């Protein structure tokens, strides 16, 4: 007999516990959420330092803002609204089923698996876990192997606050991730690339495990001719360069009214200089996570140039700033922001999600052309619109499909706790955050309660004249 692997043992422990304790009261759920809150309060600095160690250069303030603040907001909302989310929903009963009553009960699914990415390794690990715990589930978390320091600290912190049959963290490489995806979870959530998401979905399908896939794609940013160019450029630059572009909802490319190329270039350069007076040696500007990813980004630029693209590198300090001593190769991975012009659809740059500080700019003549360009590709995770014309804005909203939208800014919809966050098509399926996430990780059980007397009995066989008369009446009322 083959020995049971530690991964399988960890899953079996949670699976058995979930089946033995089907009812998870609100008090226990809140207590678990409060443990997560205490974990963040007590281990926040250590976790932040681990994220910085994984990137080489990443501002602790960025982690506090983009990871920990988001998690604290999610915890606050879940603790405040949990009992309301758990409450059974009574629904209207149709005439022919009277006097029955009906309701929908929200139950835990059981064991939820989470495969998290490296780019926001705290938010995208613990955020889904918070939602799954609020829904009464057990949680197994697999952090990214590209953020090993964060994974190790998460594992130690979770082990301190949770029993392994409640919440555990497993560490390992991509091979372990594939084994993890093949476990018989009650629900599996994956955040990462579309290519890996396909493999995760295939592994989960063996057990008919339902999945939530939070993927990526090429999120467009449309600038209208009436937008405030300076303001738009600053907000686009912030969304693009946050975490050095390593954000799944970062603006991937800009659709710009033809004739405004020079104005946008100047405004974008000024915006970059305002946000990051220097790039190399700036502790506020994150490094690319790994040399392999940096090589990929450089190859994208080289291939685009070979096909006729114009590449404009933006260095506000003009090479006059050096990295601090001891930063090693992390400073070499601080990739300069780059604009790319004269791009073509055949370029890899315009076919793959960029996930770095490279911003292609695509001129358009009419709004219809911009919409057609978006609809010609896979449906994106996010879409951004900058302009003052509400009619044009609503046209874009009606005629495009994306996971989410922010108007006259970037990224904000993902930070709104009352909005569902998720993709559509190639950018993923299933949404979480807030009550939508609670429902995603819950089973909505239909319950119909019939009384001693039932109108349905009139429709029992044998069928005859009485049946026909009743059906004639029902056809008029239903």
């Amino acid at each position: 007999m083959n020995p049971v692997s530690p991964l399988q043992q960890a899953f079996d422990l949670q699976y058995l516990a979930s089946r033995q304790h089907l009812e998870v009261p609100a008090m226990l759920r809140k207590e678990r959420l409060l443990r997560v809150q205490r974990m963040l309060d007590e281990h926040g600095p250590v976790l932040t330092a681990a994220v910085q160690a994984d990137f080489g250069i990443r501002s602790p303030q960025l982690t506090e803002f983009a990871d920990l603040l988001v998690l604290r907001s999610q915890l606050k909302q879940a603790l405040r609204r949990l009992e309301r989310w758990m409450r059974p929903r009574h629904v209207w009963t149709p005439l022919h089923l009277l006097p029955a009553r009906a309701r929908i009960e929200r139950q835990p699914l059981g064991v939820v698996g989470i495969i998290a990415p490296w780019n926001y390794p705290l938010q995208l690990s613990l955020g889904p876990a918070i939602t799954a715990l609020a829904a009464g589930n057990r949680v197994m978390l697999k952090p990214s192997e590209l953020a090993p320091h964060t994974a190790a600290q998460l594992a130690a912190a979770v082990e301190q606050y949770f029993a392994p049959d409640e919440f555990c963290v497993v560490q390992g490489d991509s091979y372990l991730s594939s084994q993890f995806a093949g476990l018989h979870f009650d629900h599996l959530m994956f955040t990462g690339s579309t290519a890996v998401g396909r493999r995760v979905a295939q592994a989960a399908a063996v057990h008919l495990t339902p999945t939530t896939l939070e993927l990526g794609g090429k999120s467009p940013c449309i600038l209208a001719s009436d937008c405030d160019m300076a303001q738009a450029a600053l907000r686009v630059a912030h969304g693009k360069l946050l975490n050095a572009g390593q954000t799944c909802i970062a603006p991937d490319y800009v659709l710009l009214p033809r004739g405004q190329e020079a104005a946008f270039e100047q405004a974008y350069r000024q915006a970059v200089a305002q946000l990051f007076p220097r790039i190399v040696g700036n502790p506020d500007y994150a490094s690319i996570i790994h040399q392999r990813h940096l090589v990929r980004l450089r190859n994208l630029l080289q291939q685009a140039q070979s096909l006729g693209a114009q590449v404009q590198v933006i260095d506000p300090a003009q090479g006059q700033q050096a990295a601090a001593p001891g930063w090693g190769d992390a400073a070499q991975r601080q990739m300069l922001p780059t604009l790319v012009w004269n791009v073509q659809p055949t370029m890899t740059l315009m076919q793959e999600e960029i996930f770095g500080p490279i911003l292609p700019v695509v001129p358009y003549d009419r709004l219809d052309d911009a919409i057609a360009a978006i609809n010609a590709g896979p449906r994106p995770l996010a879409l951004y619109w900058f302009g003052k014309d509400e009619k044009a804005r609503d046209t874009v909203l009606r005629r495009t499909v994306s996971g989410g939208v922010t108007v006259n800014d970037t990224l904000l919809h993902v930070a709104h706790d009352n909005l569902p966050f998720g993709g559509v098509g190639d950018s993923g399926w299933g949404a979480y955050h807030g009550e939508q996430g609670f429902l995603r990780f819950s089973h909505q059980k239909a319950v119909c309660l019939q009384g001693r007397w039932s109108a349905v009995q009139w429709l029992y066989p044998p069928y005859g004249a009485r049946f026909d008369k009743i059906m004639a009446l029902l056809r008029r009322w239903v």
Side-chain angles (χ1 to χ4, degrees), residues 266-464:
Q266 180 181 3
Y268 191 77
R269 286 181 178 275
Q270 291 175 349
V272 172
Q274 178 179 334
L275 296 170
F276 306 102
R278 70 184 193 278
I279 300 299
V280 177
N282 187 341
D284 292 339
Y285 189 83
S287 54
I288 302 301
I289 187 71
H290 193 276
Q291 185 66 26
R292 182 174 73 250
H293 290 260
L294 180 63
V295 169
R296 172 187 167 272
L297 292 169
R298 289 172 174 169
N299 288 341
L300 289 178
L301 289 176
Q302 290 174 2
Q303 194 246 14
Q305 278 186 302
S306 70
L307 295 176
Q310 179 185 358
V311 174
Q312 294 180 338
V313 177
I314 300 175
D315 183 2
Q318 297 181 351
Q320 296 178 10
Q321 295 290 339
W327 279 13
D329 70 342
Q332 301 302 317
R333 290 185 277 110
Q334 286 184 299
M335 186 177 188
L336 295 172
T338 304
L339 291 174
V340 186
W341 306 87
N342 300 325
V343 295
Q344 301 298 325
T346 54
M347 297 174 180
T348 309
L349 190 72
M350 296 305 295
Q351 295 176 352
E352 297 179 358
E353 182 181 8
I354 293 172
F355 225 67
I358 302 170
L359 184 64
V361 184
V362 181
Y364 69 89
D365 295 303
R366 301 177 305 144
L367 182 59
D368 286 348
D369 299 331
I371 293 172
I374 294 169
N375 291 336
R379 288 171 169 174
L381 182 58
L383 182 145
Y384 303 107
W385 159 267
F386 287 85
K388 300 174 184 175
D389 188 334
E390 294 183 1
K391 183 177 179 181
R393 176 201 66 196
D394 292 343
T395 297
V396 172
L397 292 176
R398 285 196 314 270
R399 292 174 55 190
T400 60
V401 179
S402 61
V405 177
T406 294
V407 173
N408 286 323
D409 212 326
T410 59
L411 313 181
L412 296 188
H413 64 280
V414 72
H416 197 303
D417 291 333
N418 292 319
L419 290 176
F421 173 64
V424 57
D426 281 21
S427 60
W429 58 60
Y432 73 111
H433 286 191
E435 188 173 13
Q436 289 295 320
F438 181 90
L439 294 176
R440 189 69 180 172
F441 295 130
S442 298
H443 169 57
Q444 298 198 70
K445 184 167 69 176
V447 178
C448 188
L449 307 169
Q450 187 56 283
R452 293 181 60 187
W453 175 84
S454 172
V456 180
Q457 292 175 220
W458 291 345
L459 301 176
Y460 287 178
Y463 304 122

Side-chain angles (χ1 to χ4, degrees), residues 216-257:
K218 302 193 70 62
S219 297
C221 181
I222 306 175
L223 271 61
S225 58
D226 64 347
C227 76
D228 182 324
M229 185 64 75
Q231 182 186 78
L234 178 63
R235 294 177 179 180
V236 171
H238 177 255
K240 183 64 176 179
L241 301 180
L242 187 75
N243 206 29
Q246 298 166 112
T247 304
C248 60
I249 57 168
D252 193 88
Y253 63 100
V254 166
L255 290 157
L256 181 73

Side-chain angles (χ1 to χ4, degrees), residues 84 102 112 141 145 165 214 233 244 271 274 307 359 376 413-415 464:
R84 189 177 75 185
V112 172
L141 168 64
E145 63 275 12
D165 66 350
E214 300 298 346
Q274 178 179 334
L307 295 176
L359 184 64
H413 64 280
V414 72

Side-chain angles (χ1 to χ4, degrees), residues 14 109-114 128 132 137-141 180 185-189 441:
Q14 291 204 357
L109 291 173
V111 183
V112 172
I114 299 169
N137 298 289
R138 317 274 168 157
V139 175
M140 287 183 66
L141 168 64
F180 188 93
F185 289 113
D186 295 293
H187 197 99
L188 177 62
M189 177 169 177
F441 295 130

